[in-house]
Amino acid sequence: MVSFTAGPLVVRAVVLHLCWTGALTVDLTRPLEDASLVQATVASSGAGARQ
């Protein structure tokens, strides 16, 4: 995913930020690499929502 973009370092930073904040999830029992499966996190209704 990241290696096919024009700015791979920027995209990698954004993906890692989204994983850190919980917007994306990834299986961290395996090494994180360009081929890692990243999924969107299902948002819960109301609890802890940012405004």
Side-chain angles (χ1 to χ4, degrees):
M1 172 181 77
V2 173
S3 60
F4 294 111
T5 62
L9 294 177
V10 174
V11 173
R12 183 181 304 267
V14 171
V15 169
L16 290 175
H17 169 75
L18 292 172
C19 287
W20 181 261
T21 60
L24 296 177
T25 57
V26 63
D27 180 9
L28 294 177
T29 62
R30 302 175 57 97
L32 189 59
E33 52 191 31
D34 287 346
S36 296
L37 179 62
V38 178
Q39 299 175 333
T41 304
V42 178
S44 61
S45 60
R50 294 181 184 171
Q51 296 184 10

